Amino acid sequence: MKLHDLNPAQREAVEAMGGPILIFAGAGSGKTRVLTYKIAYLIEEIGLPPENILAVTFTNKAAQEMKERVSKILTVDTQKMNVGTFHSICARMLRFEIPRLGYTRDFSIYDQADSRALVKEIIQGLNLDTKTFVPNAYQNHISSKKNQMLSPENVAEYAEGYIDEKLAQIYTEYQKALKKNNALDFDDLLLLPIQLFKDHPNRLAYYQSQYQYVLVDEYQDTNRPQFELVHSISEKHRDICVVGDDDQSIYGWRGADIKNILEFSDIFGESKIIKLEQNYRSTKTILKAAHAVVSLNENRSEKELWTENKDGDKIRVQDCYDERDEAKKIVSWINNEINEEFKFLDHVILYRTNAQSRSIEDELRRKAIPYQIIGGVKFYDRKEVKDVLAYLRLIVNPYDTVSFDRVVNFPPRGIGKTSLDKFKNFAQLIDLNLITALERINEINIGTKQKASLSQFRDMINSFTEKIDTDTAKDIAINLVNAIELNEHYLNQNNIESRERWSNVDELLNSISEFTENSEERGLRMFLEEVSLLTDIDRHNKSDDSVTLMTIHSAKGLEYPVVHISGLEEGLLPLGSLSNTDMDLEEERRLFYVAITRAKQKAFLYNASMRRRFGGEPIQSITSQFIGELPVSLVDHIQIKHTSQPYYTSTQKYIHSKSSSLKRTFKSTESMYSVGSLVKHSIFGKGKLLRIDGVGENAKLTIIFSGNVKKTLIQKYANLTILESA
């Protein structure tokens, strides 16, 4: 096996064997190449069979790419490799093991919308007000408890007050309902294997023997259940290699624990630590700028990326009046950069929240620039797509009440809510799943027409259930869509929206056809499992010549020649409030680091002086401190040029009165403030100046505000009022 095309650090990482290994892989340092070669090395040089290697990635796309790369290096059957996401690997395990835990192998996997629907049903069943007990919020609460590996009993035991007690009650009923529906949510996919290992030590021993070498990608983003899984499986042989970058740990809000990577050696014992610091992606300027910001974090391992690439252009910081002006300037810069070197597909626009995309999309449409958006309403979350998938899930799993409720009267069959409620109460009374209970529909006091419709619905579902072991997913799906006359339902409405809905159904059928043609297991069960674990990134097609829009979180692992980052303002990036901790700020700083290191050649940063929030009037913004943390020598700062035509006429007077602050420039080389001064900030309130770092307009002012809130502000953006000089 030839390793000559690897740099020394990469080669060391590939050849390192024996005990726990931690590879710090900086952005653009060839992490995927190292993992690929590591797997190939284990097979060809160490002689480990492919089926005895477990490689965990964070996206299905990354897993597929890894398999393809290994197959190019070696002539091995990559189908035997256990490569996948935590969720896909656990789902595969549970299809075999789950009867030991009281479920059947035909379990459904509920996505966020399905889980939310179930939580809502439970809240209503407990006679609680959904305006007070908001289903989405309580779904998130339950997920958070699961990420902490807290059971309903744990939550009930430590409940303090009415709200906590109700959360425990909702959580308890939610888990009961999931089990009754023979369904798992995404968190359960991780938790149930842990339960399996605890309750059945022989099964843990089996998987420890099966997976003799464990590799984990993006280890900095693992949460507690994910950590417990890899720790349990690798505990016996201790042959585990994790790859990650603590500077790119950005999922703390959903349970990821940066301590998993920073304390790896403490947890796994004596470990070999290797750092990949040569960057192959970005220019020297981009790397220096990114490092200058992230190095301000205290909770990180010391490393600094370097590259043999050229210096490249300076980071361009563009001041804007408001979100409309920001959108115009983003699109203008994109148009300026379209030439022989750059196409539309070379540009990505990143933002902190999905809501920021609206004004940008509007401007792209006005200028007739093709674009694709990642996130927002995902393809598999569209109503018409979820309707067909609900039918298919019900065919496989007759216990799935969420799917039953979704399709029993779609397309309309004349079955009203009253009739359905009577039937569901009856099914609960006789303790049968809904499809089986329909066999006794004549025992219920509902109309003859409704009985006939429900009977026909039952017969149709049963007719397809009988075929799931013999027919392909493609055949079942096409025949189902024909049986419910979905084409006629949409096209008879004869409007643009309905035609678009049918087009999405058609695209779903195409997707199922592709699965059937390309997968070894062509059955409906496997298709539903695969589609339930897909993300929008897995469907992302970079071959189209269009600008890409996505959140910074979605951009993780991707790269583009030109990156545009919008909304660099306090409260947006960094996101948060006065209650933010230092850890929160550090994660936001890592998020900015991830954003800027997506850029290969050019990076554009945008901030608005005014921005609408929550549909209200525009309010004045404060430029993000992250801009001030960039070295001045690496930045080309384009400030606002005053205009007599402000964008918001309702605030024209306000904008004009503040024009001097919008264009603020300090030529003095000395700070206008002094340590010990009492100052006032428009958002943070009164504070005391503790420290001044640097001189002139880019001096960093460390201030302690009321409530013991410490902030570091850049002088030229601080806009402080001096209450009392020191």
Side-chain angles (χ1 to χ4, degrees), residues 107-124:
F107 61 84
S108 300
I109 300 174
Y110 281 1
D111 63 16
Q112 219 173 4
D114 301 321
S115 296
R116 186 164 57 247
L118 188 58
V119 169
K120 183 179 180 180
E121 185 180 315
I122 287 161
I123 290 171
Q124 291 172 333

Side-chain angles (χ1 to χ4, degrees), residues 1-15:
M1 182 178 172
K2 298 178 181 179
L3 302 178
H4 61 271
D5 56 343
L6 302 178
N7 69 39
Q10 290 174 335
R11 182 162 183 164
E12 182 187 5
V14 168
E15 295 180 328

Side-chain angles (χ1 to χ4, degrees), residues 318-332:
Q318 174 72 68
D319 291 348
C320 311
Y321 281 110
D322 53 32
E323 64 268 23
R324 288 171 57 192
D325 187 38
E326 179 186 62
K328 288 177 181 290
K329 286 185 167 65
I330 290 173
V331 173
S332 177

Side-chain angles (χ1 to χ4, degrees), residues 615-639:
E617 288 292 309
I619 60 174
Q620 191 171 17
S621 302
I622 299 172
T623 303
S624 171
Q625 67 185 78
F626 300 153
I627 287 181
E629 292 170 359
L630 296 167
V632 176
S633 61
L634 303 178
V635 172
D636 180 10
H637 196 153
I638 305 170
Q639 297 182 321

Side-chain angles (χ1 to χ4, degrees), residues 344-361:
F344 287 126
L345 60 82
D346 294 320
H347 292 261
V348 66
I349 304 170
L350 304 179
Y351 34 77
R352 183 65 175 81
T353 64
N354 278 309
Q356 292 169 250
S357 73
R358 183 196 57 80
S359 56
I360 300 170
E361 287 188 76

